[in-house]
Amino acid sequence: MTLKPQIRNIIIEIICMLFVLLFVYAAVSKILDFENFQVQLGQSPLLSAYARWVSYMVPIIEITIAILLCIPRLRLFGLFAAFSLMVMFTSYIFIILHFSSFVPCSCGGVLAKMSWNAHLAFNILFVFLAAGAIVLRRGSNDITSHGLKFRSVIMKIGFLAVASIVAVVALFISSEKIMHEDNPFIRRFPSHPAEYVHEIDLKYNSYYFAGSDLSKFYLGNFTTPATVRSIDQSNYKQQYHNITLDAENIYFKKVTVMVRDSSFYLFDGSVPVYLTGSIKNWKINDEFNGIPFFTRAVAVDDNSLVFRSNNAKNAANVIGVFNKKAVTKTIYCRDLLQKQVDGIFDTDGILLYSSELRKIIYLYYYRNEFIVADQKGGLSYRGHTIDTIKHAKIKVASLNDDTERAMSAPSFIVNANAAVYKNLLFVNSKIKGSYESNKLWERACIIDVYELKTNKYLLSFPIYNIGNMKLNSFAVTENNLYALIGSRLAVYRFNQIIKKEMLSR
């Protein structure tokens, strides 16, 4: 059935006005809440790397198309542009729903009230409206060759649709590569990757995380160093365990207890002493003889540990490995830590060990770098956190005829705390990224997650303050993150977006 020209023109006019209304409303909504719109783009799994210029271009394009649709002689060009833009929007939502690692928040305005599936249906409707208006508009110019004209229009529409989809897919692939490998300091905050589920009042703020096994996690206490507090991961039942220790001839200064699987390790690097035992009876049954002085230590297994000491040139920090059964018990890995200022403060950091990967991890406090090494201290690679602080921003002064050193200005901490579980490195960053809210940073501490096997940034999530108390330290198990916040212990449960990344690559 052939439509009369008057009816056809009315239909085209209605469709054009609908697009004008849509684009003007959408553009004005974005401009009025531009900061939020830019933040949402920054959290997009497709456009994160291009959020800045996309946030400016999209409102400009929408307003431009609306103007073209209001000018009769440019209306056809405006319809093609509207069709292309709606195909891009539709492709964007389809990829978000089916191929993205997470689904971000929606756009502003009335569309924010829609679910993503409703938003997809809404966009598809407008794609067909634009295509229909183009066919009606072109078909009205040549009645005698209507069949040929129709095929030509359909081919142009099809080509434009494919080109628009390819453009969005290219943006997605490019943005993903940039975000994971060359991140321009844009964090991704998926919806609830770790949900708050429980809180325990520990009464005191002197606890630290000692470790975990399959069913429990353990807390040490600096004020009662021979007592370990265990908490069941399923029902939060608690027990206290006293380590049997004959320490008459040991002059402890700062005792640390570490639990891994069925063993515990009690050590003090200032003595130095390193003792081991079983959590079945909490009795010391072995001592590592000949161990050097150390400032940090992490158990590797019942025969070896990795440590940090001041045994390098000018008392600088150095990583070492001690194996009580080896012919050469102590091996120093002098090339792992790299000096920038003094070799002491600038190389200060957090020492970790992943038993699943059999890797040593060392995260610097004052720069955006971490080191991954094998059990013998051989360098695997140097990774970087997503912030931009490559050089430690510290000032060091020499005291007492250069026999002592101290910070001469407030330090600029980049990475405050960290934990490792299997192939994932969790970092408590102190640096605010692009498109991030000041309110969020006032209310929470941010945890960034990295994949160690592929050396990629994955995502971020907040750990919220309890009252005016912020995160002190945290530990990670397969299902949970445990956060010490003042004298409180907060439990966060991981959702599938994090759990599926554990040794999934």
Side-chain angles (χ1 to χ4, degrees):
M1 183 180 72
T2 303
L3 291 175
K4 293 181 179 180
Q6 295 88 339
I7 297 175
R8 183 165 49 213
N9 290 336
I10 290 172
I11 294 174
I12 294 172
E13 191 75 25
I14 291 172
I15 292 174
C16 289
M17 290 304 104
L18 285 173
F19 271 104
V20 169
L21 179 63
L22 174 65
F23 287 149
V24 170
Y25 174 79
V28 171
S29 297
K30 293 178 180 73
I31 293 169
L32 291 178
D33 196 11
F34 184 76
E35 183 179 359
N36 186 48
F37 172 58
Q38 200 171 60
V39 167
Q40 289 174 348
L41 285 177
Q43 304 307 320
S44 165
L46 269 71
L47 302 174
S48 301
Y50 306 109
R52 188 172 300 279
W53 65 264
V54 169
S55 65
Y56 290 99
M57 289 298 296
V58 170
I60 292 172
I61 291 172
E62 289 174 333
I63 291 173
T64 302
I65 294 175
I67 293 172
L68 293 175
L69 292 172
C70 292
I71 302 173
R73 63 188 181 88
L74 298 177
R75 183 165 287 172
L76 183 60
F77 183 79
L79 285 170
F80 273 113
F83 172 80
S84 177
L85 189 61
M86 293 310 299
V87 170
M88 287 184 178
F89 288 163
T90 304
S91 303
Y92 171 84
I93 296 174
F94 185 83
I95 294 173
I96 286 284
L97 291 174
H98 294 89
F99 299 101
S100 169
S101 57
F102 67 94
V103 178
C105 296
S106 186
C107 309
V110 69
L111 301 184
K113 308 301 180 183
M114 294 184 181
S115 68
W116 278 97
N117 285 314
H119 203 159
L120 179 64
F122 179 88
N123 282 8
I124 290 173
L125 171 63
F126 272 82
V127 167
F128 280 104
L129 287 176
I134 291 170
V135 171
L136 290 173
R137 177 79 176 177
R138 293 298 294 264
S140 65
N141 295 332
D142 194 346
I143 304 295
T144 59
S145 58
H146 180 73
L148 180 62
K149 181 67 68 173
F150 181 79
R151 286 194 296 271
S152 174
V153 171
I154 294 300
M155 289 179 63
K156 289 179 180 178
I157 290 174
F159 174 81
L160 189 58
V162 172
S164 300
I165 294 170
V166 169
V168 174
V169 172
L171 274 176
F172 171 57
I173 295 172
S174 175
S175 180
E176 284 294 281
K177 183 178 185 300
I178 292 172
M179 286 296 297
H180 288 304
E181 298 178 11
D182 307 299
N183 191 294
F185 204 7
I186 300 174
R187 287 191 171 91
R188 287 183 166 175
F189 291 93
S191 179
H192 306 298
E195 294 185 90
Y196 171 88
V197 293
H198 193 67
E199 186 179 316
I200 299 172
D201 185 1
L202 299 174
K203 306 297 183 184
Y204 305 102
N205 63 0
S206 53
Y207 284 99
Y208 64 90
F209 289 106
S212 64
D213 56 27
L214 293 176
S215 60
K216 300 177 181 179
F217 66 95
Y218 300 86
L219 299 174
N221 193 320
F222 289 117
T223 59
T224 55
T227 300
V228 177
R229 187 173 181 173
S230 67
I231 302 177
D232 193 285
Q233 295 191 48
S234 59
N235 57 24
Y236 308 113
K237 289 185 177 179
Q238 303 180 45
Q239 285 183 285
Y240 291 88
H241 311 277
N242 293 313
I243 297 174
T244 303
L245 175 65
D246 181 11
E248 291 184 1
N249 299 321
I250 302 176
Y251 299 97
F252 289 110
K253 293 182 179 179
K254 186 177 180 180
V255 173
T256 302
V257 177
M258 181 177 178
V259 179
R260 173 166 287 151
D261 299 325
S262 60
S263 300
F264 72 89
Y265 309 88
L266 184 149
F267 50 88
D268 185 339
S270 61
V271 176
V273 64
Y274 190 91
L275 309 171
T276 68
S278 171
I279 62 172
K280 292 180 180 179
N281 54 22
W282 295 95
K283 290 183 179 180
I284 301 293
N285 57 31
D286 195 10
E287 179 177 357
F288 282 32
N289 294 313
I291 192 166
F293 289 93
F294 57 87
T295 53
R296 297 190 186 278
V298 176
V300 172
D301 52 40
D302 287 344
N303 299 314
S304 60
L305 69 142
V306 57
F307 64 91
R308 189 193 74 186
S309 76
N310 298 118
N311 195 27
K313 185 178 179 180
N314 297 322
N317 289 319
V318 63
I319 299 295
V321 178
F322 183 89
N323 189 321
K324 70 177 184 180
K325 291 190 174 182
V327 176
T328 303
K329 293 183 178 181
T330 304
I331 298 175
Y332 289 100
C333 315
R334 300 192 181 276
D335 295 329
L336 287 183
L337 302 185
Q338 295 182 324
K339 174 183 174 181
Q340 288 185 337
V341 181
D342 67 334
I344 301 174
F345 291 106
D346 65 330
T347 58
D348 199 4
I350 305 160
L351 182 62
L352 304 165
Y353 179 75
S354 171
S355 56
E356 291 80 11
L357 294 184
R358 298 183 179 180
K359 294 290 185 180
I360 300 165
I361 299 99
Y362 190 85
L363 175 72
Y364 290 113
Y365 281 137
Y366 304 112
R367 58 179 118 158
N368 66 345
E369 185 177 330
F370 59 90
I371 300 162
V372 179
D374 60 31
Q375 287 177 295
K376 296 182 179 180
L379 179 66
S380 298
Y381 66 87
R382 297 183 188 276
H384 291 88
T385 53
I386 60 173
D387 61 87
T388 57
I389 312 299
K390 294 183 179 180
H391 196 277
K393 295 182 178 181
I394 59 173
K395 292 183 179 180
V396 180
S398 298
L399 306 174
N400 298 328
D401 296 326
D402 206 24
T403 59
E404 296 180 16
R405 296 179 187 179
M407 290 277 199
S408 61
S411 58
F412 191 84
I413 298 174
V414 176
N415 305 304
N417 291 290
V420 65
Y421 186 77
K422 293 185 176 179
N423 58 317
L424 298 185
L425 175 64
F426 297 76
V427 178
N428 172 208
S429 174
K430 302 294 284 186
I431 309 298
K432 181 183 172 184
S434 302
Y435 316 118
E436 291 176 11
S437 166
N438 289 328
K439 291 183 179 179
L440 176 63
W441 279 83
E442 291 169 1
R443 296 169 52 206
C445 292
I446 305 302
I447 306 296
D448 299 327
V449 185
Y450 300 86
E451 213 287 332
L452 291 172
K453 293 176 71 176
T454 58
N455 187 19
K456 291 182 178 180
Y457 164 74
L458 296 178
L459 54 90
S460 302
F461 59 90
I463 298 296
Y464 288 96
N465 306 340
I466 297 178
N468 59 358
M469 297 181 295
K470 284 185 170 288
L471 177 70
N472 298 327
S473 61
F474 65 97
V476 173
T477 64
E478 184 167 3
N479 297 308
N480 301 319
L481 181 145
Y482 300 96
L484 284 173
I485 304 173
S487 60
R488 299 272 179 170
L489 175 72
V491 183
Y492 283 76
R493 183 156 297 153
F494 292 136
N495 288 334
Q496 284 302 116
I497 191 171
I498 291 181
K499 293 179 69 174
K500 73 178 183 180
E501 294 289 350
M502 293 181 177
L503 290 177
S504 64
R505 298 174 187 266

